[in-house]
Amino acid sequence: MKYIEVDFTFSNGDNKGIGEEALLATARDITASIAGEIGFESFIETDEGMKGYILEEMFHKSTLDECLKDFPLEGISVGYTYKNAEYRNWNEKWESEGFEPIYIDDLCVIHDTTHLPDGNNKALDIVIDARLAFGTGNHETTRMIVETMFETEIKGKRMLDCGCGTGILSIVAAKQGAAHVTSYDIDEWSVSNTEHNAELNGVRSSIEVLYGDANVLTHVSGVFDVIIANINRNILINDMPYFKEVLASDGTLILSGFYEEDVPLLVEKASSLGLLYEKKKCENNWAMIVLRAQSY
């Protein structure tokens, strides 16, 4: 996947850098919040500000300019330069070191191919070989979704996994007995990684993996009983109408990848589409909501 690296700098009215560390930290936090809402995924602090990273196809200079135009910190302005980010393996740590088994209550244990779980554990066993893809179960959003999947009727159902990453959610569903799972991702590495991990878990025949964004759903036949999406807030809002179109009557939509303060925006969008809000979970300010299609 290709990223844009944006180098943010902050200055006062004299076009000088911010000398006060507390003020600089506040400026960084505000900018990260603003940039996160338009798709930036990660940030690294610098002496004069910070660097932010966003997928190339999601970067729009005009959108960023508009968001930063009226910066809410009095007397401080934000400047930036951008370039194509140097290619790097974003999962290098996982690939070189692996990760210790991750236990989600007593329901599921997620591990790599070298760090094996306790042999006496009775939880659902999921093997993940992370290769340039998001999703090992270590993140709060993934854990909350997996917990909710065990509270949802999956066996014998058709499930859709939007933005599948490593394929972890698709694999959990397949091992729970889903009749069929369709997955898609805009990152070709993630598509390959999902296929690879499905093979490792012996469920490759149960999972169809597609390359693309939500537009791929216009070419998918049938509807889904359960749809799961762990993606950026703005993408969820944009793609929710696509999800609604392929959600079965009385189907369940599980969304995560956003902060607790974003929940009202997502619920409002869902309501406009006729989706009913059921519940939410929160962990370290990350949130997950469950929506349901209205049956008539």
Side-chain angles (χ1 to χ4, degrees), residues 29-186:
D29 288 345
I30 292 173
T31 304
S33 177
I34 292 171
E37 291 184 356
I38 59 173
F40 278 76
E41 296 182 9
S42 61
F43 303 93
I44 298 174
E45 292 185 4
T46 65
D47 290 340
E48 299 298 324
M50 67 181 184
K51 292 181 179 181
Y53 297 88
I54 183 172
L55 280 170
E56 184 178 52
E57 59 265 33
M58 292 189 64
F59 177 69
H60 302 286
K61 184 178 184 301
S62 59
T63 302
L64 182 57
D65 288 343
E66 183 64 26
C67 290
L68 296 175
K69 184 174 63 175
D70 298 315
F71 195 65
L73 195 58
E74 186 176 358
I76 302 301
S77 60
V78 185
Y80 69 88
T81 58
Y82 65 94
K83 64 181 181 180
N84 289 325
E86 180 181 353
Y87 173 80
R88 60 177 292 186
N89 185 338
W90 298 92
N91 266 356
E92 185 175 2
K93 178 180 183 294
W94 294 114
E95 292 187 21
S96 61
E97 301 177 13
F99 58 97
E100 293 298 321
I102 298 163
Y103 294 87
I104 301 179
D105 295 330
D106 58 352
L107 304 171
C108 179
V109 57
I110 302 156
H111 61 92
D112 64 13
T113 53
T114 57
H115 298 80
L116 302 181
D118 182 350
N120 296 322
N121 194 280
K122 303 298 183 182
L124 190 68
D125 187 276
I126 305 293
V127 186
I128 293 295
D129 185 9
R131 295 178 174 178
L132 288 168
F134 171 84
T136 59
N138 193 53
H139 197 273
E140 291 90 340
T141 58
T142 308
R143 291 199 300 270
M144 287 188 291
I145 289 178
V146 171
E147 289 172 357
T148 303
M149 290 175 70
F150 279 90
E151 300 165 2
T152 305
E153 188 177 352
I154 299 287
K155 187 174 182 179
K157 304 296 184 180
R158 283 172 51 87
M159 196 201 87
L160 174 67
D161 181 6
C162 312
C164 52
T166 61
I168 182 171
L169 302 177
S170 297
I171 293 164
V172 170
K175 287 200 166 187
Q176 284 181 290
H180 183 76
V181 180
T182 298
S183 312
Y184 71 85
D185 203 293
I186 61 170

Side-chain angles (χ1 to χ4, degrees), residues 91-278:
N91 266 356
E92 185 175 2
K93 178 180 183 294
W94 294 114
E95 292 187 21
S96 61
E97 301 177 13
F99 58 97
E100 293 298 321
I102 298 163
Y103 294 87
I104 301 179
D105 295 330
D106 58 352
L107 304 171
C108 179
V109 57
I110 302 156
H111 61 92
D112 64 13
T113 53
T114 57
H115 298 80
L116 302 181
D118 182 350
N120 296 322
N121 194 280
K122 303 298 183 182
L124 190 68
D125 187 276
I126 305 293
V127 186
I128 293 295
D129 185 9
R131 295 178 174 178
L132 288 168
F134 171 84
T136 59
N138 193 53
H139 197 273
E140 291 90 340
T141 58
T142 308
R143 291 199 300 270
M144 287 188 291
I145 289 178
V146 171
E147 289 172 357
T148 303
M149 290 175 70
F150 279 90
E151 300 165 2
T152 305
E153 188 177 352
I154 299 287
K155 187 174 182 179
K157 304 296 184 180
R158 283 172 51 87
M159 196 201 87
L160 174 67
D161 181 6
C162 312
C164 52
T166 61
I168 182 171
L169 302 177
S170 297
I171 293 164
V172 170
K175 287 200 166 187
Q176 284 181 290
H180 183 76
V181 180
T182 298
S183 312
Y184 71 85
D185 203 293
I186 61 170
D187 174 21
E188 59 186 321
W189 285 96
S190 293
V191 171
S192 175
N193 197 201
T194 294
E195 293 173 339
H196 169 72
N197 286 324
E199 289 280 1
L200 284 180
N201 286 273
V203 292
R204 182 67 186 90
S205 62
S206 300
I207 302 174
E208 175 188 22
V209 192
L210 306 175
Y211 171 54
D213 59 18
N215 285 295
V216 302
L217 299 179
T218 60
H219 304 291
V220 172
S221 60
V223 294
F224 298 92
D225 304 293
V226 181
I227 299 178
I228 294 173
N230 187 9
I231 321 177
N232 170 273
R233 184 200 76 177
N234 287 352
I235 297 176
L236 290 174
I237 290 173
N238 182 73
D239 291 354
M240 213 182 297
Y242 292 93
F243 304 158
K244 172 63 166 54
E245 285 297 312
V246 295
L247 184 62
S249 174
D250 203 33
T252 300
L253 176 59
I254 303 171
L255 304 179
S256 195
F258 47 88
Y259 299 116
E260 186 172 3
E261 54 264 32
D262 296 324
V263 170
L265 288 173
L266 289 153
V267 172
E268 180 182 6
K269 179 65 175 183
S271 179
S272 73
L273 296 170
L275 296 168
L276 302 174
Y277 169 72
E278 284 204 337

